[in-house]
Amino acid sequence: MSQLHSYLQDQWVTGTGAGRALVDATTGDTVATASTEGLDLKMAMEHGRNVGGPVLRAMTFAERGAVLKRMSEVIHENREALIVASRQGGTTRGDAKFDIDGASATLSYYAYLSRSLGDRTFLLDGKAENVLRSARFVAQHIFVPRHGVAVHINAFNFPAWGMAEKAAVSLLAGVPVVTKPGTATCLLTVKVVECWVNAVILPEGALQLVTGSIGDLLDHVGPQDCVAFTGGSKTAKVVRGHHAVVANNCRVNIEADSLNASILGPDVEVGSDTWWMFINQLSTDLTQKCGQKCTAVRRIFVPESLADAVVEALIEKLNDVVIGNPGDKGTNIGPVSSPSQQRSVVAGIASLSAAADLVWQAENVPEGGCFVRPSLFRSDKGAHTEYVHEHEVFGPVATILTWAGNASEVVSMVAQGGGGLVCSVYSDKRKWSSEVILGLAPWHGRIHWGSKKVHDQSPGPGTVLPNLVHGGPGKAGGGEELGGVRGLQFYWQRTAIQGDCGLLDKILD
Ligand code: NAP
């Protein structure tokens, strides 16, 4: 059985001890182990700061962008091998492509963005402004890369995309990366980094990979470092409260759980284009990646008068779904990614069964491995279905919640989720939509408005786009990533420089 390696200080190294087991999610067999025991993570942080940082900061945005472009191309060149590697985590071919192509596309987008930032090594933030009466004494805000390391801690569900989207932003900002994927599926992450290393495209010290448990990595963060975390809210609390993070006021970005909502407007007619947009996008969200997407819908808000029709249409679609070996052609849903996720989803389904009515559950689900039974629930108790508004079941599971149809009631019910990544609203009525969308905006990082005008043009709410911000307030972690240039600011220091306008022009030009 292979022991997966980490890539530290520009070398492949292997931890000692038994390590953590990686299971083939389809069979349940252990296929590899990963350990960080005995690895010098302090030296890795110093290598990033002392080697990777200076190398990246000396490069222009265009040069950093050229690296990202090659990283994107190399993923694409190795696509088939990466799809095979991702099978360990239980992904179907379609789901593997979603992750791997998402990684490549995000790197490519940030490579493209670098062209607009030009041949500079830092950026001006707006224009110089007079701060006093004197025309000579001015101030200019600038953005410079911090002289630290970006520690990226990722969840298990997107082993390629999750790593690449954070790395793209950080490297373009000029800050080296130490990335730590979720252990359960890190086989694919290791393969991606192997492809980059073999292609000799990474600047020295720019990217290091920690494979296995977090070890003492966070003990070594300092005041110029930052931590970008994606995962569950319980772990997020530990990261935010870590003694070195707190002592150094280390900048932290958290992407955590989300009870994403989808809302059907009372104006939508059964069978209309907007109706099918709603039903089809729900069905994608419930089945894609076996429901293990941070953006997947968990709560479906439907006016009482349309609830039976929604249940019927969804069940018809879900009955066509094939659950089985993700390697088999025609399989739509594979297993969840690990035995611990399986336990967690099975327990979540049991708790939901006590809180709401089960209206559909998949049959013919394979025995063994990490398979779960995709399930659809319904509750007519609205705001009083507390479990649904408080707990994310991270799998192919959602609950339909009925309500009377007025805008303010649905806004307050959605807000009961405590803040989410994305919410979708389907309606062709401007006034109703405006009240719901503006009412929900403070609670979400992104709102998807489905209507007849865009019914055939949208990727759906579940796809994270690099030019739009990703993150949400409250329960969703309070973070913000991506969003084009906006995402780079997390890795930069904004500094106001005040002084003589002529001299400032000379050093900042
Ligand atoms: P998790 O158990 O919280 O783990 C997330 C990451 O944190 C993993 O790399 C994990 O490493 C690491 N970790 C564990 N203990 C740690 C500690 N004490 N200090 C620092 N890091 C530690 O979450 P998960 O099961 O991988 O992912 C599922 C959750 O992620 C779901 O709740 C989902 O909603 C959320 N998620 C959110 C987003 C978003 O963008 N908002 C995206 C994807 C997933 P090990 O794997 O080695 O334990």
Side-chain angles (χ1 to χ4, degrees), residues 20 152-158 165-166 180-185 211-215 218 227 229-236 238-239 242 254-258 292-295 298 338 340-341 392 394 421 464 470-472 476-477 481:
R20 298 250 306 268
H152 293 166
I153 304 171
N154 279 307
F156 72 88
N157 59 337
F158 281 100
E165 57 119 327
K166 282 188 172 63
K180 193 220 120 23
T183 302
T185 57
T211 307
S213 298
I214 190 82
L218 290 180
V227 180
F229 170 87
T230 296
S233 51
K234 279 194 194 137
T235 322
V238 176
V239 169
H242 187 280
I254 302 283
E255 302 293 345
D257 319 345
S258 180
Q292 300 167 108
K293 281 189 313 189
C294 53
T295 50
R298 306 293 170 201
S338 66
S340 83
Q341 282 306 309
E392 179 193 40
F394 203 60
L421 293 175
V464 172
H470 174 66
E481 289 186 324

Side-chain angles (χ1 to χ4, degrees), residues 90-418:
T91 45
T92 62
R93 184 174 171 81
D95 289 344
K97 284 197 282 186
F98 190 56
D99 184 21
I100 292 159
D101 294 348
S104 179
T106 305
L107 286 158
S108 168
Y109 167 80
Y110 273 95
Y112 172 77
L113 190 70
S114 73
R115 292 201 250 148
S116 66
L117 304 178
D119 287 330
R120 306 186 63 104
T121 56
F122 66 93
L123 273 197
L124 303 184
D125 177 23
K127 293 191 171 143
E129 33 188 311
N130 293 100
V131 281
L132 296 171
R133 285 216 181 129
S134 155
R136 288 211 71 83
F137 188 75
V138 298
Q140 170 73 57
H141 288 84
I142 63 168
F143 287 120
V144 288
R146 290 174 151 222
H147 284 206
V149 168
V151 175
H152 293 166
I153 304 171
N154 279 307
F156 72 88
N157 59 337
F158 281 100
W161 195 346
M163 183 232 333
E165 57 119 327
K166 282 188 172 63
V169 182
S170 183
L171 294 176
L172 184 57
V175 176
V177 171
V178 171
T179 189
K180 193 220 120 23
T183 302
T185 57
C186 67
L187 187 88
L188 175 60
T189 321
V190 173
K191 294 283 175 214
V192 173
V193 176
E194 276 176 3
C195 292
W196 289 336
V197 171
N198 294 343
V200 200
I201 52 175
L202 296 171
E204 216 185 332
L207 188 130
Q208 301 179 76
L209 168 71
V210 174
T211 307
S213 298
I214 190 82
D216 63 357
L217 180 63
L218 290 180
D219 290 353
H220 309 300
V221 295
Q224 287 279 307
D225 302 322
C226 58
V227 180
F229 170 87
T230 296
S233 51
K234 279 194 194 137
T235 322
K237 216 180 259 181
V238 176
V239 169
R240 218 193 273 280
H242 187 280
H243 64 88
V245 170
V246 174
N248 291 295
N249 290 321
C250 192
R251 204 176 265 183
V252 179
N253 191 76
I254 302 283
E255 302 293 345
D257 319 345
S258 180
L259 292 158
N260 307 301
S262 182
I263 306 163
L264 181 66
D267 60 291
V268 178
E269 280 177 30
V270 176
S272 65
D273 287 342
T274 310
W275 164 270
W276 282 118
M277 185 181 192
F278 169 73
I279 296 290
N280 290 335
Q281 293 186 340
L282 283 179
S283 156
T284 301
D285 255 10
L286 270 160
T287 54
Q288 193 171 42
K289 292 226 82 219
C290 198
Q292 300 167 108
K293 281 189 313 189
C294 53
T295 50
V297 65
R298 306 293 170 201
R299 298 176 297 156
I300 305 166
F301 292 89
V302 178
E304 281 152 4
S305 57
L306 293 168
D308 291 343
V310 168
V311 170
E312 194 183 320
L314 269 179
I315 290 179
E316 204 177 317
K317 285 211 138 262
L318 292 170
N319 276 337
D320 286 342
V321 165
V322 178
I323 303 153
N325 187 322
D328 293 347
K329 217 172 165 194
T331 296
N332 306 105
I333 303 190
V336 292
S337 291
S338 66
S340 83
Q341 282 306 309
Q342 184 188 34
R343 285 192 292 276
S344 159
V345 174
V346 168
I349 291 174
S351 300
L352 277 175
S353 302
D357 301 326
L358 181 68
V359 291
W360 176 85
Q361 194 162 49
E363 285 167 16
N364 302 325
V365 175
E367 297 285 324
C370 306
F371 288 92
V372 297
R373 295 180 72 186
S375 309
L376 185 65
F377 291 87
R378 171 176 173 164
S379 166
D380 296 317
K381 290 181 283 178
H384 301 293
T385 323
E386 283 84 2
Y387 186 86
V388 178
H389 297 294
E390 287 165 10
H391 297 276
E392 179 193 40
V393 180
F394 203 60
V397 182
T399 305
I400 294 170
L401 294 144
T402 56
W403 100 106
N406 60 319
S408 59
E409 187 190 352
V410 79
V411 167
S412 83
M413 271 163 67
V414 174
Q416 242 184 302

Side-chain angles (χ1 to χ4, degrees), residues 411-435:
V411 167
S412 83
M413 271 163 67
V414 174
Q416 242 184 302
L421 293 175
V422 59
C423 170
S424 32
V425 179
Y426 297 82
S427 170
D428 293 302
K429 281 275 179 272
R430 242 189 286 168
K431 190 167 174 302
W432 187 89
S433 301
S434 148
E435 204 177 324

